[in-house]
Amino acid sequence: MTLLHWAILAPFLLAIFVPFLYKYLKAIHTGWFVLLLPVTLFIYFLQFLPNTYNGNPIIETVNWIPSLDINFTVYVDGLSLLFALLITGIGALVVLYSIYYLSKKREALGNFYVYLLMFMGAMLGVVLSDNLMVLYVFWEFTSLSSFLLIAYWYERDKSRYGALKSMLITVLGGFAMLAGFILLYLMTNTFSVREIVEIAPTIINHPFFLPAMLLVLLGAFTKSAQFPFYIWLPDAMEAPTPVSAYLHSATMVKAGIYIVARLTAVFALAPEWIWLVAGFGIFTLFWGSFNAVKQTDLKSILAFSTVSQLGLIMSLLGIGAVSFHYTHLEENIYTVATLAAIFHLINHATFKGALFMMVGIVDHETGTRDIRKLGGLMGLMPITFTIALIGSLSMAGIPPFNGFLSKEMFFTGMLRAVELDLFNFDTWGILFPILAWLASIFTFIYSLKLVFHTFTGKYQPEKLDKKPHEAPIGMLISPIILVSLVIIIGFFPNILSYSLIEPAMAAILPLGLDERFYVNIYHWHGFTPELYMTIGVVAIGLAMYYYLTKWQSIYKLHPEKLTLNKFYDGGLITLENTSDKFTHSYMTGFIRDYLVYTFAFFVIALLSAMYMLDALVIDFSGLAPIGIYEGILSLAMVIAAFVVLFAKSRLTAIIALGVVGYTLALFFVIFRAPDLALTQLVIETVSVALFLLCFYHLPKLKQELNRVRFRAVNLVISVGVGIVVTLIALSANSTRLFESIAEYFVEASYEEAGGKNMVNVILVDFRGFDTMLEILVLGIAALGIFAMIKLRTKKEEGHEN
Amino acid sequence: MKTNDTILQTVTKVLVFVILAFSIFIFFAGHNNPGGGFIGGLITAAAIVLLMLAFDMKTVKKIIPFDYKKIIAVGLIFAVGTGVGSFFFDAPFLTHAHDYFDLWFLGKTHLATALLFDIGVYLVVVAVTLTIIQTIGEDE
């Protein structure tokens, strides 16, 4: 175990101690103890920057299950380090924020920080693991801890609904991803991402390649809330705001982005990958921003905004994957898309984190997040307003903030997609910049709405539960740091380009020997189409925002019944109802029906086996002659059997059954089995007596003396069973493969065991073990009868059913 | 009205001994002739059932004051003990031995450990049958 492994496991270890800290150090907010860890980890991860800058990734392995090729391998390159810094950095800020956000007295802080630390550790594990199986383990840990965090206020109905929804959707994707990983293993024989990347070009024509890609993408899309799986994210907003800020904007939802970026090197050579990633991404971008405008809850706006921004990053990764089709860096114009993806990933984490915290403050200070009740808070909460303004303008892509830079690069990337002459992009590629541009307009509108509907307009104190005032400074520190980053990155974007972006690009994209990326981000790059697009976004956005009430009715065109949420809810209900109906359709509760299934299966399975294996052999040559006694007895037995079937009263059936039993004893006599005959006689007598006992005690009320009712299905199945058994017996008798071992017993019973009664010698000596267990069975039966009759308790009142 | 079962009871008194003697014969004959512990046990049980029919459960319980459930256990101990006994002679479970012995009151006699096992079977069968019949018979 190296320090790196301990760094990943540290949050889990601290989580063990959090309940004790919470219980025994009540005076201090538990968050302060937790805060130390992400800060330490952040500083620890910072020192890897020179390594990744120089292109020296760090690999450390600890054996976990070597026999299955599953080892805890930690791999730190530009991409993992970028994510690790995001997780620990934003994690530290969120913990700080939560200290002021969550009340020490009212909330179960122990639970909160345990879940949060579990999540932090899991997320670090996801981004730093090289082994796909270990990655999957941490991946499911993020789903689990996210589930716990969303349902943190578990006494609320909506929290539980949101938690369940996110759990179902992300775990569905998680399972799909596991299947994809296993397919990757089958193709490459290794779980190590680095080794898979090396082998990747050789497996592109493998039949598993496409299924593996689709399954992995399903996992990434569900986690990263892409269309149509984004529906869990708005419902996950029932979580405490620090959780929404951390998980549902900055980290967990980017796990899918991470997977796509990480496995681009494996799948990018396939056109399907580029189409799926870029296509779903751009549509999610448009759909998310379009729907964000109609939301009235601040957190819902941010949730849809997150969905749309994740779509943006996803589509950029898809276009960036085109780079794999170029061998030289100079002529490769698509790397800019990857650059934009990474840059926007960082930017989004900063401004979205700040915005969520801002919404949390507003919620905390006014008691509502409903945009219709809010307004005119600017004068009351100036700092919060500043934070909201900067965050929103950055989100809308206005200079001089960092969102502007990444949005310009995004337009560049999308415009390049049109130039692409691969994979039908020349016909459909034009959709990318159009959708991107439309989505940016909607982004602009909801960003303005977010700020101005909350902070300007009419102040409505009568609608608010509390009297709003500026938040305490502790709550403001984290968002202030984040918006400062927004501004700093906005003005000096190149401090990131050398340290974080270039190594991360190098981790995603292929590089020739001695090549490296030189990233330079400028605010001003001339009168390019991108600039005109941005001007268009601002102009049309402003106009549309001004006339928002005029055109808002278009959202009503989309019928409620056709929404994805309705589809999800209806799907779950249909699923439950269908499985319920299906189960009830065959689990009738009648033994008669189950016997029909059992015997039907018996007949079908045996008949088809006999047919397929060609096992039906009927050979009468070795049979003994049939004497007159056998004939008579058989006839008697058949008649008695039919009497049992067609008897009108039970008594007749019992007596006929006795006839069958005594005839059988006579058969034993004829076939020279005196021991069997004796036993059969006595046992038949006893069992007929017991039958009579049962008959005598039948309840009076429902005593039906009717004949057995006729059912065609029963007839078919019973005839089938009879035929099958007969055929098997005949076939078995016709194909004797070897001599019986009876000869041995004939010789040995007297010589070895000293007995002349061979049957008895076999029972007590040669096969005494069976007899021993059979008398045990008898003993159990007797005790069972004794217990059933003697230990009858009175029927409990109000028992089930 | 109390029925008078004198004939039945008198015949039973005689017959029970005949049946018991026959069952013991069948039991011992088992090694060389048809018979053995199972059928012997059933016939013994039949004798006792006859007693129960002719008299009544309480009387029979007074005559034969055994708890049959314990006899099941005794029988199983016989059977398992025979098997375990072979361990003392370094032989696998349930290895039987037999030989001829000169007993003072019977002369040359053939004895086999299989007989001990059969006694276990006999006891279990007698006790099981009677437990079942007695339990059902006493049930209200």
Side-chain angles (χ1 to χ4, degrees), chain A residues 597-610:
Chain A
Y597 309 146
T598 314
F599 283 120
F601 174 78
F602 177 81
V603 170
I604 292 165
L606 288 177
L607 271 184
S608 48
M610 240 193 291

Side-chain angles (χ1 to χ4, degrees), chain B residues 90-106:
Chain B
D90 228 2
F93 188 65
L94 271 176
T95 308
H96 289 303
H98 68 95
D99 211 340
Y100 290 91
F101 296 94
D102 214 359
L103 297 178
W104 58 271
F105 61 97
L106 283 174

Side-chain angles (χ1 to χ4, degrees), chain A residues 504-553:
Chain A
M505 281 178 78
I508 299 174
L509 295 180
L511 269 184
L513 281 174
D514 298 328
E515 282 184 315
R516 62 177 301 143
F517 295 106
Y518 292 103
V519 175
N520 244 329
I521 302 166
Y522 302 105
H523 265 275
W524 179 250
H525 34 71
F527 292 100
T528 52
E530 293 89 324
L531 186 68
Y532 298 128
M533 281 169 85
T534 306
I535 292 167
V537 165
V538 174
I540 297 178
L542 276 175
M544 284 177 76
Y545 176 70
Y546 190 74
Y547 293 108
L548 190 60
T549 44
K550 295 261 165 42
W551 58 273
Q552 209 165 21
S553 54

Side-chain angles (χ1 to χ4, degrees), chain A residues 244-513:
Chain A
S244 310
Y246 189 35
L247 275 72
H248 307 126
S249 72
T251 51
M252 186 179 90
V253 287
K254 290 187 174 127
I257 304 272
Y258 171 78
I259 288 290
V260 169
R262 181 56 89 196
L263 296 178
T264 295
V266 180
F267 294 114
L269 281 175
E272 291 90 350
W273 174 267
I274 293 160
W275 264 114
L276 283 171
V277 176
F280 272 93
I282 198 81
F283 189 72
T284 310
L285 164 66
F286 170 73
W287 191 248
S289 63
F290 178 68
N291 277 302
V293 178
K294 74 169 171 182
Q295 306 300 323
T296 53
D297 181 89
L298 288 175
K299 269 176 116 179
S300 295
I301 298 180
L302 288 181
F304 277 99
S305 150
T306 304
V307 169
S308 105
Q309 305 277 315
L310 290 169
L312 185 156
I313 301 172
M314 201 62 103
S315 66
L316 281 171
L317 283 175
I319 301 295
V322 180
S323 308
F324 278 80
H325 295 270
Y326 294 85
T327 42
H328 294 292
L329 198 57
E330 295 80 50
E331 54 197 74
N332 191 344
I333 54 170
Y334 294 98
T335 55
V336 69
T338 311
L339 162 67
I342 295 164
F343 189 46
H344 195 72
L345 182 87
I346 303 168
N347 295 343
H348 177 248
T350 55
F351 66 69
K352 196 51 71 62
L355 285 175
F356 266 111
M357 291 174 185
M358 177 278 289
V359 168
I361 290 169
V362 169
D363 188 12
H364 208 262
E365 300 306 328
T366 64
T368 183
R369 298 194 309 254
D370 195 326
I371 214 164
R372 288 164 299 190
K373 295 183 187 169
L374 294 167
L377 295 177
M378 187 163 65
L380 294 161
M381 305 168 80
I383 305 177
T384 319
F385 168 67
T386 316
I387 293 165
L389 189 67
I390 296 172
S392 300
L393 291 183
S394 176
M395 183 157 76
I398 306 294
F401 306 113
N402 57 7
F404 169 71
L405 300 168
S406 45
K407 183 138 291 181
E408 292 282 285
M409 277 192 272
F410 165 62
F411 283 149
T412 316
M414 290 300 128
L415 288 170
R416 299 264 164 92
V418 187
E419 297 168 28
L420 189 60
D421 52 358
L422 292 163
F423 329 128
N424 291 338
F425 260 89
D426 38 0
T427 43
W428 293 104
I430 189 71
L431 276 177
F432 282 85
I434 291 173
L435 274 176
W437 188 69
L438 285 175
S440 298
I441 293 172
F442 285 112
T443 308
F444 187 82
I445 296 169
Y446 73 69
S447 300
L448 292 190
K449 196 178 164 187
L450 187 69
V451 188
F452 293 114
H453 277 208
T454 315
F455 291 99
T456 62
K458 219 173 87 204
Y459 176 47
Q460 303 159 298
E462 70 281 359
K463 286 185 181 174
L464 303 177
D465 302 337
K466 301 176 185 173
K467 196 172 155 35
H469 55 81
E470 186 57 272
I473 183 68
M475 231 165 160
L476 290 168
I477 295 174
S478 299
I480 287 174
I481 293 176
L482 284 171
V483 288
S484 317
L485 280 174
V486 168
I487 299 170
I488 294 168
I489 297 172
F491 279 111
F492 311 104
N494 289 318
I495 54 167
L496 286 181
S497 54
Y498 312 122
S499 53
L500 284 174
I501 298 176
E502 285 174 14
M505 281 178 78
I508 299 174
L509 295 180
L511 269 184
L513 281 174

